[in-house]
Amino acid sequence: MIEVINLSKSFDGKKILKDVSTVFNKGQTNLIIGKSGSGKTVLLKSIVGLHTIEKGDVVYNGNSFVSMGSNEVRLLRQDMGMLFQGSALFDSSTVEENVRFPLDMLTNSSMEERRDRANFCLDRVNLTNVNHLYPSEISGGMQKRVAIARAIALNPKYLFCDEPNSGLDPKTSIVIDELIRELTQEYNMTTIINTHDMNSVMGIGDKIVFINGGVKQWEGSKEDIFNVENEALEDFIFASELFREVRAFNRKK
Amino acid sequence: MFYHLGRYVLFLIRVIGRPQKHRVFFTQIVREIDKLGINSLGIVVIISAFMGAVVTLQTAYNIDMPFIPRYTIGLAARDSILLEFSSTIVCLILAGKVGSNIASEIGTMRVTEQIDAIDIMGINSAGYLVLPKVVAMVFITPILVLISMGIGIAGGYMSGSLSGEVSPAEYIYGIQYAFRPFYIVYSLIKAVVFAFIISSVSAYWGYYTSGGALEVGRASTRAVVTSSIIILLFNLLLTQLLLA
Ligand SMILES: Nc1ncnc2c1ncn2[C@@H]1O[C@H](COP(=O)(O)OP(=O)(O)O)[C@@H](O)[C@H]1O
Ligand SMILES: [Mg+2]
């Protein structure tokens, strides 16, 4: 479980996050939604500590992040996996080397064991026979899978995904979403996903946090999201023609 | 400027803090020596050969007086090559080639979140990415400088004898005349300092890039300009310290 308590963040005197508080539960896919520039990435990177926490706190299973020493942070990080928006694979390393990287760096297991674990993770994300290719030689969807395999290599307790669907076609997006959801349940991770994709919200939104202009404006489940009286949220949801039509159809009934 | 100086010092502390696994570290050093050092051998050889040739000819034309012995040409060429050209000029060239390479590589990793990906694993990204480059450069640059000295002196021999300005015998007598081995030591000390400046300053600019491709380009330019200027300043300083 991850609790976010009154988190604020500014850059160059400009407030980007304003007093965000919420809770993300274990074994669930928690979504942070909002339009581009609303502060999703800044929120996620503040939660994991890639941005220094300026005000407020993040509590990991009862342990306050701001009061941790650098050694505790380092240990906590070994329980974190993160999927970045552009996949962030090392482009001069092969697929297998990418997945093996955290194992090479942080474990004392033999080459054989590390290779087995990397292959297991690649298998788990349905990638085979790509071990010796470089990231530039595989498709965007495959890159995301490699990044997921790398993120789960050390069996993390927490998984963070920044726009896992960006740059993917709708069908591949669903496959990636489902994969993240399956892994979350399988390993009982606390998963937080940034997205602006309503299809993901409807597909895997166990818990949804809506932020707008750096402020949390609503949180709830996908069942409730259509009944909310919030102009910004409605704007966000019904930005797509499809959802407008669904709404019109429902109202006629 | 003080802001950058302070942040650079903190950056260096992070670079040397918490070393990684030796296995990983040594593989990386070997790779960096190859990428940054061996790959620069070609340009060092070409520059040094031409530099030696030109220095010898210019000296020959300048001291075209009957009462100065011809071997003085070999002596003067040797001293300029050993003292200045093979260390300072070669390192300025390396600042351009290696500096921009380091800054753009690390800068690209920053803007594509590869550095975040390393940090999130609890790995010291500054140490992991930068230390092998600094160690590799500090190790390989003095060797490149030594090679440059050899090639430069050979270049002078070639141009001197081909143009007929100084005969092989006179040149060889000249380069041995009143030879001070300390000049080589002095140059190697400079090479080590300059190598450290090139690798750490360029890595600093790359590491603190933010934005996109445009900023990576800017970081790379800044890396070359600042490391060159710092090299020139330290050249003055070290000359005062070591030769005065
Ligand atoms: N490192 C930074 N420095 C300054 N401003 C930033 C930085 N990162 C993000 N911002 C600003 O914060 C706001 C929110 O950005 P972001 O969290 O990336 O939005 P989202 O991920 O929701 O699209 C934007 O206005 C952006 O310009
Ligand atoms: Mg974002």
Side-chain angles (χ1 to χ4, degrees), chain B residues 200-218:
Chain B
S200 62
V201 169
S202 306
Y204 167 81
W205 287 114
Y207 196 82
Y208 289 104
T209 310
S210 66
L214 197 67
E215 284 78 10
V216 173
R218 203 170 289 153

Side-chain angles (χ1 to χ4, degrees), chain A residues 11-194:
Chain A
F11 286 112
D12 315 316
K14 195 169 154 251
K15 278 211 146 197
I16 304 293
L17 289 182
K18 293 157 203 154
D19 268 336
V20 177
S21 298
T22 187
V23 174
F24 300 106
N25 291 314
K26 199 170 170 175
Q28 282 191 352
T29 41
N30 302 280
L31 266 51
I32 299 172
I33 65 170
K35 56 181 203 276
S36 286
S38 55
K40 300 184 295 294
T41 301
V42 173
L43 176 56
L44 197 65
K45 288 194 173 174
S46 302
I47 291 173
V48 300
L50 283 173
H51 288 322
T52 48
I53 296 175
E54 186 180 280
K55 203 178 131 272
D57 199 356
V58 180
V59 179
Y60 283 88
N61 284 346
N63 303 311
S64 144
F65 191 90
V66 286
S67 47
M68 281 183 199
S70 62
N71 218 34
E72 285 163 287
V73 169
R74 197 170 50 78
L75 291 175
L76 173 67
R77 291 238 160 118
Q78 300 186 2
D79 285 331
M80 292 180 176
M82 186 156 179
L83 177 61
F84 291 88
Q85 190 164 356
S87 294
L89 298 175
F90 306 124
D91 21 51
S92 52
S93 306
T94 62
V95 164
E96 185 188 301
E97 286 164 354
N98 265 282
V99 180
R100 234 179 45 218
F101 181 81
L103 303 163
D104 289 349
M105 296 296 289
L106 299 167
T107 68
N108 288 315
S109 30
S110 69
M111 186 60 162
E112 177 101 22
E113 291 168 312
R114 284 178 272 140
R115 209 168 253 155
D116 283 351
R117 175 69 191 163
N119 280 319
F120 173 84
C121 294
L122 283 169
D123 237 24
R124 186 59 198 83
V125 298
N126 304 317
L127 280 177
T128 41
N129 295 325
V130 292
N131 291 41
H132 300 291
L133 296 179
Y134 285 88
S136 58
E137 298 171 327
I138 58 177
S139 70
M142 287 160 97
Q143 289 174 3
K144 295 277 169 166
R145 287 172 204 237
V146 176
I148 294 174
R150 181 176 70 181
I152 61 168
L154 288 171
N155 257 320
K157 295 197 185 99
Y158 313 99
L159 183 66
F160 305 93
C161 309
D162 195 4
E163 311 232 0
N165 300 339
S166 70
L168 300 182
D169 61 86
K171 209 169 152 196
T172 313
S173 297
I174 294 171
V175 174
I176 297 288
D177 279 353
E178 279 307 318
L179 182 62
I180 294 171
R181 203 241 277 271
E182 277 170 34
L183 290 168
T184 300
Q185 291 169 353
E186 205 171 308
Y187 298 112
N188 201 18
M189 294 183 288
T190 306
T191 298
I192 306 179
I193 304 165
N194 274 355

